[in-house]
Amino acid sequence: MEHDTTNVLTVEHLSHVYSPGTPFEKKAVDDVSFSARKGEFIGLIGHTGSGKSTLIQHFNGLLAPTSGRVLINGEDIFQSKEMTRAARFAVGLVFQYPEYQLFEETVYADVAFGPKNMGLDKEEIDRRVRENCRIVGLSESALDKSPFELSGGQKRRVALAGIFAMEPEVMVLDEPMAGLDPAGCADVFRFIQEYHEKHGTTILFVTHSMEYAAQMAQRIVVMQRGRILMDGTPEQVFSRAQELLEAGLDVPQVTRVFLELKRRGLPVDTGVYTMEQAAAQLRAMKGGAVC
Amino acid sequence: MLKDITLGQYFPGTSPLHRMDPRAKLLILIFYIVAIFVCNGLIPYAICAAGLAAVIALSRISPKLILKSLKPVVFIVIFTGVLNVLYTPGQELWRWWIFKITLEGIYTALTMIVRILLLVASTSLLTYTTSPMALTDGLERLLGPLKKLHVPVHEFAMMMSIALRFIPTLIEETEKIMSAQKARGADFDSGNIFRRAKALVPVLVPLFVSAFRRADELACAMECRLYHGGVGRTRLHTLRYGRVDLWGGLLSVAVCAAAIALSRLL
Ligand SMILES: Nc1ncnc2c1ncn2[C@@H]1O[C@H](COP(=O)(O)OP(=O)(O)OP(=O)(O)O)[C@@H](O)[C@H]1O
Ligand SMILES: [Mg+2]
């Protein structure tokens, strides 16, 4: 099994039950198996309450599975306390609305919190803080400000830099663009991509938006009611657009247009999910018709 | 850890206990607590405990949950127990250095422990089976006569219902923030007490910030809906005593009275 060695993160038959034994018992994740290879850029999508946030909190050991295992580089992260703590640093987790976790007096100190907990030396912390603040577009002058006097979008950047600066092997982001305006979304999108290119980190991001998933991810995992419904390249996933719609999920607008074209009898391939692909296909069709 | 805090939690249901009027439940609870503290002796406490056990069974609340509600007071129970055992004067059983154990000490300690446990268990049962809304409604009505003395009863009730309403929210929020800081390598479970206290700063600052923000938003929302206190307010659901309340009240009073009477007689 040669390809297994490149799996940074593996989840085996993972289930998670909240409040077992009470009237509020809830199976949020149900027998999920999944693995992420080094450098992959994965989008995790699913309906509200499908268990995305619950699943990702197992990756760095914040939640312990009710059953199943979580492996980082082949090692079970729950085998010892040390391994669980190591998992915190190997997998960086950006929570939904991460700006609500800011607490330090200055932006610099807040971004340095993670690296400091890792026990890095001062120079290394300084390098990481400055470098990652630059990636998220925070100017030098912002570093000495209080995070509480920044705007919402800027706070989000500080929070992102805080995890970026830990330089984890796998970075997991829970709806990193939630609640931002289109420009803010595009920015965050760019920061994540820039970070990915620079460090070759495995990235997994949770989103509600098929558009973002289609634009960013090399691989898309779809969750439904605690289970994985689909897992594959965007082509593979969106070629099952009809199923996605039936599962109550959205598909990119172009895909929807093409589904409609097909329904009306045009011989199109409904696996398209970007404007470029759509344009290319239409052009090809037009060319064919002329001939 | 925080999940152990069950204060103010409500488990919906349809048992007779759930259907009772909150005022009746409050009055019964007050009477029960008086009984626990007036009682003395093994048999009266056995009666009190049996009564509570019967009511718990009737409520169909899992006994596990009741046990869970006792968890936060374990420390207090042990503490009072030990103090009482060691510092009650009386017939000496054993002594070492300045410590001595007396028969009276053991007896007082056991009594105190039973009192605390029954107190906490019965109070939790009330909040488990009564929605916070019903509870504050009941309280407001019970304290209604004090309005004549210009006590702002409605305002207190409103404050209490808001506080109760936000306990679970704040707990959830605390857990979220703790998780987020743990993901950044914060460590809450090791080191001495000072290090642990210091480790809470990254949790408390965001928690206060968000609590104030929430309070602000809530105040604004209430003002936008022209909330101006209790004057002239009418209610959609008015409280009414029913048969359950009558029988529940009579039975409880009978049991408590029997326990009190027995402890006077014996
Ligand atoms: N702390 C908790 N205690 C009990 N139940 C929970 C808890 N957190 C989540 N759940 C439940 O587990 C299920 C999955 O929740 P989860 O937050 O993982 O969904 P999600 O896919 O992230 O949804 P969203 O897109 O809205 O963020 C939901 O039904 C939710 O009600
Ligand atoms: Mg979520």
Side-chain angles (χ1 to χ4, degrees), chain A residues 47-54 56-57 96 174-175 206 208:
Chain A
H47 227 260
T48 303
S50 56
K52 307 180 293 293
S53 301
T54 309
I56 60 172
Q57 286 179 58
Q96 214 165 346
D174 198 348
E175 302 196 26
V206 174
H208 274 140

Side-chain angles (χ1 to χ4, degrees), chain A residues 21-24 57 60 62 81 85 88-89 91 93 95 100-103 110-111 113-114 117 148 162-163 166, chain B residues 9-12 62 64-65 68 176-177 179-187 189 201-202 205-206 209 213:
Chain A
T22 71
F24 301 121
Q57 286 179 58
N60 67 348
L62 282 177
K81 252 191 151 165
R85 186 150 174 85
R88 296 277 153 79
F89 301 128
V91 179
L93 183 57
F95 275 80
Y100 293 146
Q101 79 201 19
L102 303 178
F103 71 98
D110 212 288
V111 175
F113 181 65
N117 285 330
F148 295 104
I163 303 289
M166 294 171 72
Chain B
Q9 221 177 56
Y10 166 58
F11 297 93
S62 146
K64 259 201 217 138
L65 281 170
K68 222 171 132 190
K176 249 190 217 150
I177 297 172
S179 294
Q181 305 299 23
K182 274 191 207 158
R184 300 209 279 165
D187 184 2
D189 318 305
V201 172
V205 174
V209 170
R213 185 171 39 82

Side-chain angles (χ1 to χ4, degrees), chain A:
Chain A
M1 295 243 273
E2 209 200 320
H3 69 273
D4 258 353
T5 55
T6 57
N7 278 343
V8 244
L9 177 74
T10 306
V11 169
E12 289 174 350
H13 302 289
L14 186 128
S15 296
H16 190 90
V17 180
Y18 280 114
S19 328
T22 71
F24 301 121
E25 182 169 306
K26 165 98 200 165
K27 193 162 201 172
V29 174
D30 188 4
D31 192 23
V32 164
S33 296
F34 149 96
S35 54
R37 280 187 291 283
K38 198 157 179 45
E40 255 187 323
F41 205 122
I42 307 172
L44 179 62
I45 41 188
H47 227 260
T48 303
S50 56
K52 307 180 293 293
S53 301
T54 309
L55 175 65
I56 60 172
Q57 286 179 58
H58 287 85
F59 296 167
N60 67 348
L62 282 177
L63 288 179
T66 309
S67 65
R69 295 204 301 165
V70 182
L71 310 173
I72 292 177
N73 294 322
E75 295 225 49
D76 189 334
I77 65 167
F78 291 102
Q79 64 185 331
S80 68
K81 252 191 151 165
E82 290 71 41
M83 272 305 292
T84 315
R85 186 150 174 85
R88 296 277 153 79
F89 301 128
V91 179
L93 183 57
V94 182
F95 275 80
Q96 214 165 346
Y97 298 105
E99 53 273 26
Y100 293 146
Q101 79 201 19
L102 303 178
F103 71 98
E104 279 283 9
E105 282 168 45
T106 65
V107 168
Y108 185 98
D110 212 288
V111 175
F113 181 65
K116 220 156 72 190
N117 285 330
M118 296 172 76
L120 299 171
D121 60 54
K122 250 188 130 156
E123 287 81 60
E124 178 65 8
I125 294 178
D126 190 66
R127 176 190 73 75
R128 290 188 178 195
V129 171
R130 290 181 192 282
E131 192 177 304
N132 289 290
C133 282
R134 201 161 48 238
I135 292 185
V136 299
L138 288 167
S139 63
E140 284 280 324
S141 62
L143 293 185
D144 298 322
K145 281 194 186 148
S146 157
F148 295 104
E149 54 186 75
L150 302 177
S151 74
Q154 282 173 316
K155 279 186 197 157
R156 178 76 54 96
R157 294 168 186 223
V158 176
L160 280 176
I163 303 289
F164 283 9
M166 294 171 72
E167 302 191 351
E169 273 182 79
V170 180
M171 181 135 60
V172 182
L173 303 108
D174 198 348
E175 302 196 26
M177 294 154 207
L180 294 179
D181 62 355
C185 290
D187 283 342
V188 168
F189 179 114
R190 216 181 52 240
F191 305 149
I192 298 173
Q193 244 159 2
E194 193 176 320
Y195 186 88
H196 180 242
E197 273 158 32
K198 187 157 180 185
H199 296 275
T201 311
T202 308
I203 297 211
L204 188 143
F205 70 101
V206 174
T207 177
H208 274 140
S209 154
M210 286 291 170
E211 307 283 340
Y212 284 125
Q215 279 176 53
M216 291 173 79
Q218 301 161 348
R219 174 176 158 200
I220 292 181
V221 178
V222 183
M223 279 189 79
Q224 191 189 23
R225 278 183 240 116
R227 290 169 168 275
I228 288 183
L229 182 69
M230 298 177 200
D231 182 352
T233 61
E235 285 88 350
Q236 288 167 339
V237 168
F238 291 122
S239 67
R240 294 164 72 185
Q242 200 61 49
E243 269 176 82
L244 285 172
L245 289 174
E246 276 159 20
L249 287 161
D250 216 1
V251 295
Q253 272 175 5
V254 230
T255 314
R256 218 168 331 151
V257 170
F258 270 60
L259 273 177
E260 181 63 21
L261 288 178
K262 183 160 187 178
R263 202 181 62 80
R264 297 198 182 176
L266 282 173
V268 291
D269 169 17
T270 55
V272 299
Y273 54 93
T274 63
M275 278 301 182
E276 290 73 32
Q277 292 170 335
Q281 230 194 84
L282 291 178
R283 227 174 280 129
M285 269 178 57
K286 197 173 156 214
V290 168
C291 284

